[in-house]
Amino acid sequence: MNTSSHEISLTVNGRAVEATVESRLSLADFLRRELGLVGTHLGCEQGACGACTVLVDGRSVRSCIMLAVQADECELRTVESLAPGLAMHPLQDAFHKHQALQCGFCTPGMLLRCLELIEENPDITDEEAREGISSNSCRCTGYQYIVDAVVEAAEQMRQ
Amino acid sequence: MPTVREHPETLNWVGKSIRRIEDPKFLRGRGNYIDDYSVPNMLEVAIVRSTEPHARIVSIDTSAAEALPGVAAVVTGAAAAEVTDPMPDFGPSPDKHVWRCLAVDKVRYVGEGVAAVAAESRAIAEDAADLVHVEYEPLPPVVDWHDALAEGAPLIHEALGSNVPFHRSFVFGDVEDDYAEADVVVSDVLYWGRSGGQPLETVGAVADYDLGSGMMTIHVNSLTFTSFLFMLAGTLKVPSNKLDMHPHPAGGSFGAKFWEVKTAAIAGMMSKVTGRPVKFMQDRLDNIANGDHHGSDRRYEVSLAALRDGTMLSMKVKVVDNYGAYIQFGVGHHGNSLAQAVGPYRMRSIAYDVTAVLTNKCQQGAYRGFGSEVGNWVLERMVDLMATELDMDPVEIRRKNFIQPDQFPYFIPTGNCYDSGNYEGVLDKTLELADYHGWRRRQAEMRAEGRLVGIGICTCQERSVFSATEFWFWFDQPVGVTSSPESVTLDIDAMGAVTATLYSNASWGNSPETMVAQFAGEELGVDPSEVNVVYAGSNQGLPATGPGGSRFTIMVSGAVEGAANRIKAKAAKIAAHLLEANEDDLEWIDGGFAVRGSPDRRKDLGEIALQAHLFKHSLPDEIDSGLEASFVHDHPYTTLPNADRTDLGVFYPFVGHASHVAVVEVDPDTGKVEFLDYTAVHDCGTCVNPRSVGGQVIGGTVQGLGSTLFEEFVYDGDGVLKTPSFAEYLLPSALDSPALKVGHQETPSPYTPYGIKGGGEAGRMMAPSAICAAIDDAVGIRVRRLPATPERVLDMIEAAED
Ligand code: FES
Ligand code: FES
């Protein structure tokens, strides 16, 4: 296959990254395969499910339908950034407490989407949380405990 | 009958909604899912999929693909058949509908694999797959059940001589007498459309065949049914003792990873061919089109007979199930229906005529309920129809027919046993939590405003803990009573820390580690959050069956109990020695042994473990070093079917119950169904972790909602799959899903540890009935075909107006 390569430089979870990538390499494959950040999951590779959600310059993005080369000069956050040390992020803690996950496959993408929602709207309500997460599929939970967790995490994060 | 157990009155950990043991790794993105696992020198696989629904393979040209740099091997179905035997098949006469990991000679559905490519990367493998040229000679496709049955229909499998791999008429009880006695018979034709588990993670496997030792090691996120892995070894032509499977957590299953075996077979086959480790990770299209796990696809002709006062007597069911191109589990799905064929009702008899047909669709597998969810829906549809016919309240007709609490253990006409229940208790709780009567009043007001508001109720069973004996009922000679056990090893190290080893691929979104830790906490007096739970490879493994049919929690509770008892028996000997007491004078209390009557003379498990590990020679001779024990927990209660199959025996005896109330509003312009309220009350005996049970109920209900309102694998008349991605196959979103009010009632099983019953398939087994009843009530016409898509609901509204 004819492929060209590009040099990109970006920040991933606070660290500077420089890489040479094929044009066709998706951002998700770049994160998973080149950087070993396997917390970003692939459910459909088609932009439908949101499992691959990461934050690019603070906005949630489906990394399966964004090319790595498009992330040049961007600042990325993946699930691995949420709790670099022993203590979990308040949002992760709320997910744990409320059992807002079952198989955990949608969870990294869901966490990043929820973080974006809370950052945009620190007083988020049940209804707003439900509408906000409707971007991301979860096949296990039926969403209710995720809504509970988001509202409680927002409360914790306000304090 | 099994022994009736005394359940402890006070429990320390069972019944507490502790945080799940599994979660921290998932929350950190360190789940170690199968696609996160790679080994050096590993190749990756892509599949060449059939574009034809039904065709002969004339030729396959792999030369361009093979010439692509980075490609290690291109294997056609014919070449694969030289290194593999047919796929495992639990169905009747597998030699008449041979199933292989890649199609040979002909393709039988769109998406079936015809060749596999292994290359240095997935991208190269996909590029190469595009270069494989397959020449097909199209055959007429067979898509609908009636076309498959038509005289002279094209044959899916010529060797079978027809498209019917199984047909049988069962009669349980005096059906004709009961019909003769009945005042009223209602009948209907109902269709249940094909949906599927569609977990967010697809199936994957990493296989490594070691030419030197002959060991085939496969890491996989599927294949929970570990006692049957010898069948996969047979397919891969390796000795059964040289296959070692290592489980990875499944990113959801809902049945779809219960025994998805083709992915592991293809990875293993490609590793054998290339001599290198191989990863095959399905993409979504593989999973939808070729994942071997579509759900039931059934057409029912059904009638229900009752007395004028609403007493239900008997039912006649004639069902045709469109299985697709193969039939890997036989008609086990109907065994599941028959396990609870009469629901919670005292019906005296039932006739069940089942015809399995083969067509040019992907084959069925397992999906949450394994066919019994369909039986529930059909029964509840008929109860509602009878209520309408008799002008009875849908609540009262159910209440009138319930099996009563003092009638358990209760044997239903098909032979299965219901262990315990209190259906009226659940119903009353549901009506209260739902504010059923309040909603009826509000409904009247809303209707007066012209709004299409409906309320639906259902009362359904959830059978749990299959023994695979259910699979044998289609053979004339049953093979034997099949236990389907689950095993655990508990190891107490010198510090008194507990490690529990599991032997099946148990983690698929249920909470196996939390369950085991809570049981170990209960039995050994340790804090569950400190229990380490690990998984053994199958080659060093004990017999295990894994999750499926709502079995894991119950089965593993008995395994932990048994292993803990063995540990305590040894610990008691050591404690007796250390305390210079008679073993008989010791009692187990708060995680240690104390001398009865002098609680200060005690040894904690940790102290005992230290002695056991380090000071064997200070202990009595008969005690060897270490403190660990294993236990294989066999199915507590299962029996064989009788010779003429008028009694299928006991194979699903722990029977939960639930009642749901759905309140919906239908948009007359779009046909969209909105939820105004939703209530679910479940009784799965003793809840081990009530919040986890609640999560299963909510998640299962939302899946049931999907099957009811929009999920369907659609094949058009030409056999083309119209729903190959999540853009067409729609999963419920948060906005489609109601906020549930969830209640629990606990009617313990007399036969299981702590009185637990299964709860993992809950929700999906009930929601379709409640939602359809609510839609009926809103638009004034019956739902007869699922999914009730907006388009179909609009048609119903139009029909109601005519
Ligand atoms: S994997 Fe990216 S949206 Fe599904
Ligand atoms: S927890 Fe399984 S998909 Fe969300």
Side-chain angles (χ1 to χ4, degrees):
Chain A
M1 296 295 123
N2 286 329
T3 51
S4 53
S5 294
H6 306 265
E7 315 253 311
I8 56 171
S9 60
L10 62 164
T11 312
V12 180
N13 299 337
R15 287 174 188 251
V17 173
E18 306 217 330
T20 307
V21 296
E22 267 188 78
S23 313
R24 66 175 182 174
L25 185 71
S26 73
L27 179 57
D29 281 350
F30 174 67
L31 292 169
R32 290 183 56 84
R33 289 168 177 258
E34 315 274 318
L35 303 186
L37 295 171
V38 294
T40 300
H41 295 157
L42 291 169
C44 68
E45 297 173 89
Q46 204 200 16
C49 73
C52 62
T53 302
V54 297
L55 298 181
V56 178
D57 295 334
R59 302 301 304 272
S60 60
V61 155
R62 304 196 167 207
S63 62
C64 72
I65 51 168
M66 178 168 170
L67 296 172
V69 62
Q70 293 175 293
D72 190 21
E73 308 209 326
C74 293
E75 203 174 305
L76 262 67
R77 279 192 82 178
T78 69
V79 68
E80 285 88 350
S81 74
L82 287 183
L86 280 180
M88 284 206 275
H89 188 281
L91 182 59
Q92 290 169 313
D93 191 58
F95 266 58
H96 197 193
K97 175 177 164 196
H98 288 280
Q99 301 195 9
L101 62 157
Q102 288 175 21
C103 78
F105 201 74
C106 70
T107 307
M110 196 63 93
L111 284 167
L112 293 166
R113 172 66 180 144
C114 294
L115 192 63
E116 178 188 38
L117 289 170
I118 296 172
E119 277 169 3
E120 278 172 1
N121 179 5
D123 298 309
I124 194 162
T125 62
D126 275 25
E127 293 72 40
E128 290 164 341
R130 190 171 275 279
E131 171 151 15
I133 61 168
S134 68
S135 53
N136 287 45
S137 296
C138 172
R139 191 56 161 160
C140 297
T141 63
Y143 305 102
Q144 195 158 323
Y145 292 175
I146 301 178
V147 171
D148 295 348
V150 171
V151 173
E152 179 168 318
E155 217 174 277
Q156 293 289 324
M157 287 163 68
R158 280 202 299 274
Q159 286 161 13
Chain B
M1 297 293 294
T3 353
V4 171
R5 287 167 166 264
E6 297 267 332
H7 298 307
E9 270 173 26
T10 52
L11 293 167
N12 292 315
W13 293 108
V14 169
K16 289 212 165 56
S17 292
I18 64 164
R19 293 183 175 214
R20 299 201 321 156
I21 307 291
E22 309 50 14
D23 288 350
K25 61 179 180 287
F26 295 141
L27 286 162
R28 288 172 183 272
R30 294 171 176 273
N32 194 24
Y33 298 99
I34 188 64
D35 199 25
D36 304 347
Y37 175 78
S38 293
V39 294
N41 200 31
M42 184 179 83
L43 296 164
E44 291 185 75
V45 167
I47 299 294
V48 181
R49 287 177 289 249
S50 169
T51 50
E52 296 292 319
H54 196 190
R56 269 183 220 299
I57 300 169
V58 177
S59 65
I60 302 181
D61 181 357
T62 59
S63 53
E66 275 160 336
L68 191 72
V71 171
V74 183
V75 178
T76 64
E82 286 170 25
V83 288
T84 58
D85 276 337
M87 296 291 293
D89 190 328
F90 297 90
S93 32
D95 54 322
K96 300 232 168 63
H97 35 83
V98 175
W99 175 37
R100 288 187 168 275
C101 65
L102 296 169
V104 183
D105 298 334
K106 85 175 205 176
V107 291
R108 295 181 172 85
Y109 56 93
V110 170
E112 185 168 17
V114 293
V117 180
E120 299 297 335
S121 75
R122 172 73 183 223
I124 297 172
E126 287 182 16
D127 290 341
D130 284 344
L131 297 173
V132 173
H133 181 73
V134 186
E135 194 188 329
Y136 296 103
E137 177 195 322
L139 299 166
V142 185
V143 184
D144 282 335
W145 64 274
H146 52 85
D147 293 340
L149 292 175
E151 191 78 30
L155 296 179
I156 308 298
H157 292 270
E158 284 77 6
L160 186 61
S162 80
N163 291 321
V164 179
F166 182 84
H167 169 257
R168 188 154 191 159
S169 256
F170 298 92
V171 180
F172 306 102
D174 298 323
V175 175
E176 292 310 329
D177 287 359
D178 290 334
Y179 266 70
E181 192 185 327
D183 301 316
V184 192
V185 173
V186 289
S187 46
D188 210 349
V189 176
L190 301 167
Y191 295 87
W192 176 280
R194 237 174 214 249
S195 52
Q198 287 300 306
L200 272 204
E201 182 212 37
T202 59
V203 181
V206 176
D208 192 356
Y209 181 66
D210 182 343
L211 277 166
S213 65
M215 274 304 289
M216 174 70 81
T217 307
I218 306 183
H219 288 250
V220 68
N221 62 350
S222 171
L223 298 175
T224 62
F225 218 14
T226 32
S227 294
F228 288 85
L229 285 174
F230 66 88
M231 297 175 82
L232 173 60
T235 296
L236 288 170
K237 298 193 184 187
V238 295
S240 54
N241 61 351
K242 297 242 166 151
L243 172 66
D244 191 14
M245 189 205 82
H246 289 262
H248 287 244
S253 167
F254 322 109
K257 288 173 185 148
F258 170 69
W259 182 253
E260 202 287 351
V261 60
K262 196 163 66 191
T263 299
I266 289 174
M269 181 268 291
M270 293 304 272
S271 180
K272 247 181 146 177
V273 169
T274 59
R276 287 173 61 179
V278 168
K279 176 186 278 186
F280 172 33
M281 192 73 217
Q282 292 177 335
D283 62 18
R284 183 54 53 184
L285 180 55
D286 283 316
N287 189 262
I288 290 180
N290 193 22
D292 300 314
H293 276 75
H294 287 190
S296 298
D297 185 352
R298 298 185 185 170
R299 185 221 186 234
Y300 281 85
E301 276 172 41
V302 55
S303 68
L304 175 63
L307 299 178
R308 172 97 19 230
D309 70 356
T311 304
M312 298 191 279
L313 301 179
S314 183
M315 192 154 90
K316 288 185 187 171
V317 177
K318 198 169 170 202
V319 51
V320 181
D321 205 334
N322 185 337
Y323 269 92
Y326 303 93
I327 183 164
Q328 58 182 333
F329 297 127
V331 292
H333 314 83
H334 293 272
N336 267 262
S337 293
L338 289 166
Q340 51 182 34
V342 295
Y345 312 118
R346 291 183 312 266
M347 229 179 284
R348 301 200 293 228
S349 61
I350 178 169
Y352 197 93
D353 180 286
V354 51
T355 305
V357 303
L358 299 179
T359 59
N360 293 119
K361 296 187 183 184
C362 176
Q363 72 174 323
Q364 292 185 17
Y367 183 23
R368 211 171 195 171
F370 208 83
S372 68
E373 77 284 21
V374 194
N376 279 357
W377 177 73
V378 169
L379 175 59
E380 291 295 283
R381 292 276 70 202
M382 296 311 290
V383 172
D384 285 337
L385 184 60
M386 183 61 82
T388 310
E389 178 72 22
L390 294 174
D391 202 18
M392 277 181 86
D393 184 290
V395 173
E396 292 322 310
I397 192 170
R398 288 175 164 83
R399 195 188 292 279
K400 182 173 184 62
N401 285 281
F402 280 152
I403 299 160
Q404 295 301 306
D406 60 2
Q407 291 182 292
F408 296 97
Y410 185 90
F411 290 83
I412 66 169
T414 62
N416 195 36
C417 174
Y418 294 173
D419 57 337
S420 67
N422 175 4
Y423 306 145
E424 222 169 341
V426 172
L427 178 63
D428 287 334
K429 249 192 176 152
T430 310
L431 295 175
E432 196 191 317
L433 191 61
D435 185 22
Y436 181 80
H437 300 290
W439 266 113
R440 283 284 178 214
R441 278 195 302 280
R442 287 192 286 284
Q443 178 191 30
E445 291 159 20
M446 292 163 120
R447 283 197 157 166
E449 296 162 16
R451 296 169 66 181
L452 300 182
V453 174
I455 302 172
I457 187 161
C458 70
T459 52
C460 299
Q461 305 298 78
E462 179 180 0
R463 82 288 170 273
S464 69
V465 189
F466 70 86
S467 85
T469 308
E470 68 168 306
F471 280 180
W472 305 153
F473 78 77
W474 54 81
F475 299 121
D476 286 330
Q477 290 301 319
V479 183
V481 188
T482 312
S483 160
S484 312
E486 198 65 45
S487 304
V488 124
T489 299
L490 295 178
D491 185 90
I492 323 293
D493 71 13
M495 301 303 295
V498 179
T499 296
T501 305
L502 298 181
Y503 292 97
S504 56
N505 196 347
S507 180
W508 63 5
N510 50 340
S511 315
E513 296 166 31
T514 307
M515 295 298 106
V516 166
Q518 286 188 256
F519 298 138
E522 197 64 59
E523 297 295 331
L524 297 173
V526 294
D527 183 331
S529 69
E530 290 168 7
V531 175
N532 181 29
V533 183
V534 299
Y535 297 85
S538 64
N539 191 244
Q540 307 92 44
L542 294 172
T545 311
S550 300
R551 75 193 318 280
F552 186 78
T553 298
I554 295 174
M555 291 304 291
V556 89
S557 70
V560 172
E561 177 193 59
N565 284 342
R566 286 178 177 165
I567 282 173
K568 284 186 214 163
K570 180 169 178 179
K573 288 194 170 54
I574 299 170
H577 177 79
L578 298 174
L579 292 166
E580 295 178 1
N582 191 321
E583 213 185 306
D584 297 337
D585 295 335
L586 297 183
E587 61 182 343
W588 176 262
I589 186 160
D590 293 339
F593 279 106
V595 178
R596 206 173 276 111
S598 14
D600 294 346
R601 286 179 66 204
R602 64 172 280 130
K603 291 284 171 196
D604 288 340
L605 188 61
E607 295 171 77
I608 298 169
L610 187 69
Q611 297 293 323
H613 277 275
L614 300 187
F615 306 115
K616 181 245 164 339
H617 289 298
S618 310
L619 299 172
D621 270 359
E622 84 230 59
I623 293 171
D624 48 9
S625 286
L627 191 54
E628 52 89 31
S630 298
F631 193 84
V632 182
H633 183 218
D634 278 302
H635 196 292
Y637 184 27
T638 179
T639 63
L640 273 186
N642 70 357
D644 63 3
R645 301 297 186 274
T646 52
D647 183 324
L648 298 178
V650 177
F651 55 89
Y652 247 132
F654 313 124
V655 182
H657 181 76
S659 175
H660 286 204
V661 170
V663 184
V664 306
E665 175 162 12
V666 177
D667 183 328
D669 297 324
T670 63
K672 185 169 195 282
V673 175
E674 290 272 9
F675 289 88
L676 304 182
D677 201 11
Y678 201 102
T679 305
V681 176
H682 279 244
D683 186 344
C684 55
T686 304
C687 291
V688 184
N689 184 314
R691 191 151 179 98
S692 299
V693 177
Q696 295 292 322
V697 168
I698 297 166
T701 298
V702 167
Q703 279 189 329
L705 175 163
S707 304
T708 310
L709 297 180
F710 38 79
E711 287 183 39
E712 188 174 21
F713 299 115
V714 178
Y715 291 83
D716 71 10
D718 296 325
V720 176
L721 175 63
K722 306 299 273 184
T723 53
S725 80
F726 283 163
E728 304 87 14
Y729 187 92
L730 302 177
L731 306 182
S733 78
L735 281 180
D736 297 316
S737 310
L740 265 72
K741 293 185 281 196
V742 177
H744 300 292
Q745 176 184 277
E746 295 186 286
T747 308
S749 172
Y751 308 132
T752 65
Y754 316 108
I756 305 164
K757 299 180 183 181
E761 291 157 293
R764 188 168 181 267
M765 299 178 79
M766 296 85 196
S769 302
I771 297 170
C772 287
I775 298 173
D776 289 0
D777 192 37
V779 303
I781 199 164
R782 273 169 69 72
V783 177
R784 293 199 169 84
R785 178 187 287 272
L786 292 192
T789 57
E791 204 181 347
R792 288 179 181 149
V793 171
L794 277 184
D795 288 346
M796 288 170 57
I797 295 173
E798 242 170 64
E801 280 164 1
D802 289 348

